[in-house]
């Protein structure tokens, strides 16, 4: 009889604990990982509505669309080496893949006298005001403009380096 009462008490405690565990709030979505340089957005939205949302966000933030191809699912922004704002010196590339929309960014930094430029990937690394992180925040803002999107962050191998001509680096998809 004693064993039965202990078993009944344990079942009662477990019965009370299970609903409490089921009511726990869902974990918050993970933010960008350190050194992330690409964003993958999964959405059920149609490609044309994704492109409209991206284009609207980018134009409202000073970017100039360069390529807008709804058939291939591609959007890129124009880069001006003479530009003074980040939006003028940054290329955002959004392309539709089987896994979702893949967003990457490249920004230019000028050398002494504003003559020689080097292209760098938008990267979630460094101080908050660092150029790479500032560019990544612009990329992240564009990713959040995709309707109904679920974001995940990753790191891809960048096919260019400091000695690559910036014009060539802007043409390289990664």
């Amino acid at each position: 009889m004693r064993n039965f009462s202990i078993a009944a008490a344990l079942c009662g405690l477990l019965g009370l604990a299970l609903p409490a565990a089921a009511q726990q709030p869902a974990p918050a979505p993970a933010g960008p990982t350190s050194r992330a340089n690409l964003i993958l957005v999964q959405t059920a939205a149609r490609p044309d509505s994704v492109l409209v949302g991206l284009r609207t966000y980018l134009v409202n933030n000073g970017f100039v669309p360069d390529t807008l191809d709804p058939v291939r699912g591609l959007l890129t922004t124009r880069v001006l080496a003479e530009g003074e704002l980040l939006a003028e010196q940054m290329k955002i590339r959004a392309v539709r893949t089987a896994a979702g929309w893949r967003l990457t960014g490249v920004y230019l930094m000028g050398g002494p006298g504003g003559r020689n430029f080097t292209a760098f990937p938008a990267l979630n690394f460094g101080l908050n005001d660092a150029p790479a992180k500032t560019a990544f925040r612009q990329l992240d803002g564009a990713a959040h403009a995709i309707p109904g999107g679920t974001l995940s962050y990753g790191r891809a191998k960048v096919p260019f380096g400091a000695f690559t001509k910036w014009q060539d680096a802007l043409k390289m998809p990664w």
Side-chain angles (χ1 to χ4, degrees), residues 18-38:
L18 290 177
Q23 294 174 0
Q24 294 295 325
T33 57
S34 179
R35 297 184 187 260
N37 63 5
L38 71 90

Side-chain angles (χ1 to χ4, degrees), residues 18-59:
L18 290 177
Q23 294 174 0
Q24 294 295 325
T33 57
S34 179
R35 297 184 187 260
N37 63 5
L38 71 90
I39 303 173
L40 183 65
V41 183
Q42 295 175 335
T43 182
R46 294 188 349 224
D48 56 340
S49 65
V50 170
L51 292 172
V52 167
L54 276 172
R55 185 183 183 287
T56 302
Y57 172 84
L58 293 169
V59 168

